[in-house]
Amino acid sequence: MRMTATFGMNQIISHGFGVFLFSALVPLMQESIAISHWYLATIGALTQLSYLGGAMLLGLIGHRIDSGRLVLITGATTSTLLLIMSTLNDTRLILLVLTCLAASAAISWGAIIELITRYAPASFCSTCLSSASSGTAWGYGLNGLLILLIVPLLGWRSGWILAGMFGCITLILTLFLLKQLKQRKVLTPRQAKTALAPRQLFRIIVQERAAFFACLICFMVGFATMPFSTWLNTYLAELSLPAALGGYTWTMSGITGMAAGFFSGKLADKKGHGMALIVIFGGFALGQLAFIYDPATYAVLAGFGYGLMYFPMWGIIAGWVNQHYSSTATMQINGIGMVTFGLGGALGNLLAGFIQQSTGSLAGIYGVITVNAILLLLLAIYIYLTEQPKDNSTKLNDLPQSAVN
């Protein structure tokens, strides 16, 4: 439990604050800093590329660096940059800091995956992973509290200062946790440090079932969730619906994500990862079907489905991959999965922009998202029906000797 909570706190600072706090504070920052719409678009593009770069770097060379050290380095980097953000007025420096924060977030999550899959009990691994990944949802909630309670009294710079201070506390707790983990004996083959060479990594992703489906799912989730979140408020405004509806939708998404990590991970450990994927993708598909039928009535339900699927998905996928590969190889495959997620998100947003420009409405993109959600559900059903239980003691033996580092 301590390991899950500590790594969940790392997700709060790396993703909840490092990736999403700027979006929450930018309207207030614009009161004292000249931030244009073009500048925001540039930030969106560069931070996305930076996140992809961090994920790709992790997949290719992350296995050469101790994962505990990576978590400490990214935690220290993120905490420092969050504090620095409170002092900045130059938009170029803000852009540079946000770009570094995005890359650090990608690397941090990959390292956390390697540590959890190495040290968590096999029967509890997916619960730990999905609970830790839902730290992002807790970050959403804390961002909201900062905006409602702290920032109105002390200004937007106080938000960055408090986030940085929280990061420093998390860094200290992580240091103590890693010292405790290093004292544990490595008893099972599942925990062995078996890495994949870059060429072998890409060959396995193309040729082997679990790795290929994991990256495909990440691509499809990115294709659905990125345009859904990017264009939701714009679409609601297009329909002349109150702006508060978007706020309620995202509040529901965050609250759902906070709880979904533990329960979906528990389901994966007890009933199998295929069943957990069916539940979270089924909830997402149901929410999207209801949303395109009646956006005004079912927007909050769509937010529920989004939170149920998006936040714990990363942990469930990582836990499933770890049933087939070593902890280090799982980290590498997840790194490539984050890259495919980003590519899917970029494609989805481009398609949304094209549809909006061509038809004058965003209704079409939400229809495409719904179809994609149904395909994700069908893929989860296929995985559940065809997945064969794989003993942890044999999965490393499937790797050729060249993969052992």
Side-chain angles (χ1 to χ4, degrees), residues 3-249:
M3 178 173 64
T4 303
T6 303
F7 288 142
M9 291 173 67
N10 276 272
Q11 278 292 98
I12 290 175
I13 65 168
S14 65
H15 285 76
F17 295 153
V19 175
F20 296 112
L21 182 57
F22 176 76
S23 299
L25 292 179
V26 69
L28 299 170
M29 295 175 66
Q30 286 177 314
E31 296 176 2
S32 56
I33 300 175
I35 298 177
S36 67
H37 291 296
W38 282 110
Y39 180 76
L40 291 176
T42 302
I43 286 178
L46 289 182
T47 52
Q48 188 78 3
L49 290 174
S50 178
Y51 194 90
L52 292 178
M56 179 66 76
L57 187 65
L58 180 75
L60 296 179
I61 67 171
H63 61 283
R64 300 181 184 275
I65 306 174
D66 178 72
S67 296
R69 185 174 298 176
L70 276 178
V71 171
L72 291 175
I73 291 173
T74 54
T77 300
T78 299
S79 301
T80 302
L81 293 177
L82 289 172
L83 291 171
I84 289 175
M85 278 291 291
S86 68
T87 68
L88 297 181
N89 291 299
D90 190 324
T91 54
R92 291 170 297 180
L93 292 178
I94 291 175
L95 178 60
L96 177 62
V97 168
L98 292 174
T99 301
C100 294
L101 284 170
S104 180
I107 295 171
S108 175
W109 172 238
I112 287 172
I113 286 176
E114 200 277 333
L115 289 168
I116 291 180
T117 53
R118 194 196 324 168
Y119 290 110
S123 61
F124 198 60
C125 185
S126 291
T127 303
C128 293
L129 283 166
S130 57
S131 297
S133 69
S134 291
T136 304
W138 288 88
Y140 271 40
L142 289 175
N143 288 343
L145 290 177
L146 286 174
I147 294 173
L148 291 174
L149 303 178
I150 306 297
V151 173
L153 297 176
L154 302 177
W156 63 264
R157 296 183 191 275
S158 65
W160 293 108
I161 292 173
L162 289 174
M165 292 173 62
F166 185 87
C168 293
I169 295 172
T170 300
L171 183 63
I172 294 171
L173 294 176
T174 303
L175 180 61
F176 284 119
L177 173 67
L178 293 174
K179 287 184 177 180
Q180 183 187 55
L181 291 179
K182 287 183 179 180
Q183 295 174 359
R184 295 186 184 181
K185 293 182 179 180
V186 179
L187 299 176
T188 65
R190 183 178 69 90
Q191 296 165 331
K193 186 173 182 179
T194 307
L196 302 172
R199 181 176 298 179
Q200 183 184 15
L201 172 63
F202 288 108
R203 185 170 67 248
I204 283 177
I205 288 173
V206 172
Q207 297 179 354
E208 298 194 9
R209 180 180 185 274
F212 174 76
F213 279 156
C215 292
L216 176 61
I217 287 173
C218 288
F219 177 85
M220 295 174 70
V221 169
F223 182 81
T225 58
M226 294 299 286
F228 177 86
S229 60
T230 301
W231 299 91
L232 176 64
N233 288 349
T234 304
Y235 183 49
L236 295 178
E238 174 189 312
L239 299 175
S240 300
L241 295 173
L245 183 59
Y248 292 137
T249 301

Side-chain angles (χ1 to χ4, degrees), residues 280-328:
I280 64 173
F281 290 150
F284 182 59
L286 177 63
Q288 294 305 306
L289 284 168
F291 182 66
I292 62 170
Y293 173 74
D294 188 347
T297 303
Y298 296 110
V300 175
L301 179 61
F304 174 86
Y306 181 97
L308 177 68
M309 184 272 288
Y310 176 70
F311 298 107
M313 181 276 301
W314 298 100
I316 294 174
I317 291 296
W320 180 52
V321 171
N322 187 238
Q323 287 191 325
H324 301 266
Y325 303 97
S326 73
S327 299
T328 306

